[in-house]
Amino acid sequence: MSLSFTSRSRSRSRSRSTSNHTLFRFLFIAIAALLCTHAHARFLSHDLVSDAFNFNVLRLPTDPVAESACEQTYGFLPCTTTVLGNLFLIIVYGFLMYTAATFLSNGSELLLEILGPGIVGGLFLPILGALPDAMLILVSGLSGSAEVAQSQVAVGMGLLAGSTVLLLTIIWGTCVIVGKCDIEDSIALDSTDTRGFSLSGSGVSTDIWTSYAARIMVISVVPFLIVQLPQMLNSTSGRHLAVLIGLVISVCLLISYCLYQIFQPWIQKRKLEYIKHKHVILGLLRHLKMRSLGRLLKDNGEPNTEVIKKLFATIDENKDGHLTHGEMTALVVGIQFEEIDLDHNDAVTRIMADFDTSRNQLIDEAEFVNGVSRWLQGARRSKVQGGDAGAHTVKFLSDFHTETKREHDLLDVGGQGDEETEVIENARWISIKAGLLLLLGALIAAAFADPLVGAVNDFSDATSIPAFFISFIFLPLATNSSEAVSAIIFASRDKRQTASLTFSEIYGAVTMNNVLCLSVFLALVYVRGLTWDFSSEVLVILIVCVVMGAFASFRTVFPLWTSILAILLYPFSLALVYVLDYVFGWS
């Protein structure tokens, strides 16, 4: 599962580096294709010198039995039955899949740079990022008879579990380590790292959107539970039906997740509007408190309408019984709206929209009293450790300020503001380049997924190592390493905004793993009538996703000690699968 970061600044820096590596990768692919065309089986039969010297110094001994058992993919790609030979093929094909994932990632981000988020960032990028994994899973269950597919599908499950575990353990923990900053009042201070490797005083913090992404990730494991339900109930009759139900729900979750990603910019904008409105409420109430000739609240905590009416009279300069836009502007001049970029015209517009219930562009006395009373009662309900502020206006306004500041901080609205539209030079050429990268990446992934799965199974046969463990450890490195390195470098910028983006994309990649790749996997199992016997593997996915997801769903600060726990989950996952499968005989 590849990560696709949606930061425009990052897209530009990555697009510049793409050109530096593309030529090398094209050259490598051409050489590999040339070798694949001329190599055969497990030996090289060509002389290294001319026929005049008649030296065959590198001719390896042949084994007719081994040759007959070796089946070339597509009829020309090399194959072997030896351990070293298959290891070499795994490395070569794995590098080609890594190249495909890199091309898809670079092409996606070039496209994002031109078209922006929305459908591109929310729909195409997650799907394209998951394409190499989905392709490997698909071919693992399509080859040969149902019996062959049943044996090879362990490669797909290994990739599915390995990608999820790798992202949430090694990569997650490494991002915490490289992105650590000093923690003060449950917030990591940007670009401040003076405490070294303090387990509790150093770490990273994220915004509330990252917690939402973690919660979505936890929800995405529901299809695993549904498919696993017959095994938990020791039932064999309903397994095929459970696979179908799990497939339907997985597809529905995939569609829902893509729609959420498409509309997420709109949701973030609404949240930003909400926090701006709370800043206007706080600023106006504080200003009215200073101008009032008495307490805004009575002893019983109810709004003091008489004092509010007196405030209305002082604001109504022409004494016509209405407050105009100009009079409200005169009221808010001088108000400091803390921690947010909000001008006075915007503040007046928000107040008029909230108070002017008759929509006549004027605020009469009753509307003013009702509006201020509603704001006072809303502010008084602020939930802080100090408890009920009662009728003490200063206290509940202070509480309301604390709550507003906390929500502002969690939303991290400083990074969610509207970006200026940038003029992209050579947009047509960049679009063509993005399309070519996407096409090339898809072709490479489609072409070399099958031989890679075959090499993994042959290596498993030659070494007697279960194919699941080979695919669990190695294949995620091939499909994730490029973006994993980029994620770690991005997190090392020691800023909360970059940390939030990094971890959100990790959770998003796991979510896409759990819905798109699982949908492909379940479709294979259902259509080909395969047996679902992956109880231990599913348990590992559930444990890692639920533990890390629940942990990240209810907190936004992660001290350094959390990285140690996350990284330790990786060897724990491998050991758990081994013990359950080969000690207790789970299936």
Side-chain angles (χ1 to χ4, degrees):
M1 180 64 58
S2 297
L3 306 178
S4 299
F5 289 87
T6 58
S7 169
R8 284 184 176 271
S9 60
R10 184 171 178 189
S11 297
R12 289 191 291 273
S13 63
R14 287 176 54 84
S15 63
R16 287 193 296 267
S17 64
T18 301
S19 301
N20 299 330
H21 301 290
T22 301
L23 181 61
F24 167 75
R25 290 185 180 127
F26 274 124
L27 183 61
F28 179 86
I29 293 171
I31 295 174
L34 186 63
L35 289 175
C36 291
T37 304
H38 293 285
H40 182 268
R42 50 188 291 268
F43 60 91
L44 298 173
S45 58
H46 298 288
D47 296 337
L48 296 182
V49 293
S50 64
D51 292 338
F53 294 92
N54 198 25
F55 288 154
N56 292 324
V57 294
L58 286 186
R59 182 187 298 273
L60 299 181
T62 61
D63 185 349
V65 177
E67 287 186 53
S68 62
C70 180
E71 181 179 355
Q72 295 174 314
T73 307
Y74 308 135
F76 67 91
L77 289 183
C79 61
T80 178
T81 57
T82 65
V83 174
L84 292 180
N86 278 296
L87 180 60
F88 173 75
L89 291 179
I90 290 176
I91 293 174
V92 172
Y93 294 144
F95 180 81
L96 291 170
M97 291 301 294
Y98 158 82
T99 303
T102 304
F103 283 164
L104 289 170
S105 174
N106 292 338
S108 298
E109 294 194 7
L110 285 176
L111 200 62
L112 178 67
E113 184 177 349
I114 300 174
L115 302 179
I119 294 180
V120 175
L123 183 60
F124 293 126
L125 261 63
I127 293 177
L128 289 172
L131 184 61
D133 286 21
M135 198 70 67
L136 285 169
I137 292 172
L138 181 63
V139 301
S140 70
L142 286 180
S143 303
S145 63
E147 291 75 14
V148 174
Q150 185 67 54
S151 63
Q152 289 191 352
V153 81
V155 175
M157 176 52 71
L159 174 62
L160 187 62
S163 293
T164 295
V165 174
L166 178 69
L167 288 168
L168 291 177
T169 58
I170 303 294
I171 297 177
W172 192 97
T174 304
C175 288
V176 172
I177 295 173
V178 301
K180 64 183 178 63
C181 298
D182 294 348
I183 296 178
E184 291 286 350
D185 297 327
S186 298
I187 297 295
L189 306 178
D190 286 355
S191 303
T192 304
D193 186 14
T194 62
R195 299 178 181 174
F197 288 90
S198 173
L199 294 180
S200 59
S202 181
V204 301
S205 60
T206 61
D207 57 29
I208 196 65
W209 305 107
T210 310
S211 297
Y212 294 162
R215 295 172 191 176
I216 294 173
M217 180 186 69
V218 174
I219 296 174
S220 69
V221 302
V222 170
F224 286 102
L225 291 173
I226 294 174
V227 177
Q228 199 62 30
L229 189 60
Q231 280 85 342
M232 292 188 291
L233 299 177
N234 292 322
S235 172
T236 57
S237 58
R239 294 191 176 187
H240 202 55
L241 178 61
V243 170
L244 177 60
I245 296 174
L247 173 61
V248 172
I249 294 178
S250 183
V251 172
C252 291
L253 288 176
L254 172 62
I255 296 173
S256 301
Y257 180 70
C258 290
L259 291 176
Y260 171 78
Q261 289 295 322
I262 292 173
F263 290 105
Q264 188 179 16
W266 176 82
I267 296 173
Q268 292 180 350
K269 184 177 180 180
R270 291 296 301 270
K271 287 284 188 179
L272 176 59
E273 293 298 313
Y274 168 75
I275 200 65
K276 283 184 177 180
H277 192 62
K278 293 195 71 171
H279 276 286
V280 171
I281 294 174
L282 176 62
L284 181 63
L285 290 180
R286 280 181 162 180
H287 191 66
L288 293 178
K289 173 64 177 65
M290 292 187 295
R291 293 187 54 169
S292 66
L293 302 177
R295 294 168 57 185
L296 293 177
L297 294 178
K298 299 178 182 179
D299 291 337
N300 60 2
E302 294 297 320
N304 192 334
T305 57
E306 294 301 322
V307 172
I308 298 175
K309 289 179 180 179
K310 290 179 181 180
L311 279 171
F312 177 84
T314 61
I315 299 170
D316 185 13
E317 296 177 354
N318 59 8
K319 308 304 178 184
D320 63 350
H322 295 90
L323 299 180
T324 63
H325 191 282
E327 289 172 327
M328 292 303 298
T329 301
L331 172 66
V332 301
V333 169
I335 297 178
Q336 298 295 325
F337 297 101
E338 299 178 5
E339 300 158 349
I340 197 165
D341 184 16
L342 185 68
D343 59 30
H344 294 140
N345 289 330
D346 193 0
V348 172
T349 300
R350 294 173 184 276
I351 296 172
M352 294 290 291
D354 207 11
F355 282 23
D356 181 21
T357 56
S358 62
R359 299 294 181 261
N360 62 353
Q361 304 302 314
L362 297 171
I363 301 175
D364 59 30
E365 182 183 70
E367 290 174 333
F368 184 81
V369 172
N370 290 335
V372 173
S373 297
R374 276 189 287 107
W375 283 12
L376 285 170
Q377 291 172 340
R380 185 170 172 269
R381 289 193 292 267
S382 301
K383 297 179 180 180
V384 294
Q385 294 181 354
D388 188 4
H392 300 288
T393 312
V394 175
K395 177 64 168 65
F396 82 75
L397 285 180
S398 176
D399 292 346
F400 186 59
H401 174 257
T402 300
E403 181 187 272
T404 303
K405 182 178 179 180
R406 175 179 173 274
E407 291 181 356
H408 177 279
D409 184 70
L410 288 175
L411 288 173
D412 195 22
V413 295
Q416 303 292 346
D418 298 331
E419 296 182 357
E420 296 182 1
T421 303
E422 300 180 8
V423 178
I424 305 297
E425 298 181 1
N426 301 321
R428 182 177 181 182
W429 163 244
I430 294 178
S431 300
I432 295 174
K433 183 178 180 181
L436 290 175
L437 287 172
L438 293 174
L439 178 61
L440 183 60
L443 290 176
I444 295 175
F448 292 99
D450 188 26
L452 177 56
V453 171
V456 169
N457 279 284
D458 292 341
F459 184 79
S460 174
D461 294 338
T463 60
S464 298
I465 299 175
F468 170 84
F469 291 101
I470 301 172
S471 57
F472 185 98
I473 297 172
F474 178 78
L475 294 188
L477 296 177
T479 58
N480 287 282
S481 56
S482 174
E483 292 298 333
V485 172
S486 298
I488 294 170
I489 295 175
F490 198 55
S492 66
R493 295 182 182 179
D494 295 342
K495 291 185 177 181
R496 186 182 186 194
Q497 185 179 352
T498 56
S500 298
L501 180 61
T502 299
F503 288 110
S504 293
E505 294 295 342
I506 288 176
Y507 303 143
V510 174
T511 301
M512 189 58 67
N513 208 15
N514 291 343
V515 291
L516 175 60
C517 294
L518 179 62
S519 296
V520 174
F521 195 89
L522 292 178
L524 282 173
V525 173
Y526 183 79
V527 171
R528 303 216 62 185
L530 305 180
T531 303
W532 179 272
D533 55 356
F534 305 105
S535 298
S536 57
E537 294 85 348
V538 169
L539 180 61
V540 165
I541 294 174
L542 290 176
I543 290 176
V544 174
C545 285
V546 172
V547 169
M548 297 300 296
F551 188 62
S553 296
F554 300 103
R555 63 184 301 158
T556 57
V557 59
F558 303 96
L560 199 58
W561 61 264
T562 60
S563 66
I564 300 175
L565 295 182
I567 293 174
L568 289 177
L569 276 177
Y570 188 84
F572 168 79
S573 301
L574 278 173
L576 181 62
V577 172
Y578 179 82
V579 170
L580 293 178
D581 278 351
Y582 299 99
V583 176
F584 294 101
W586 275 32
S587 60

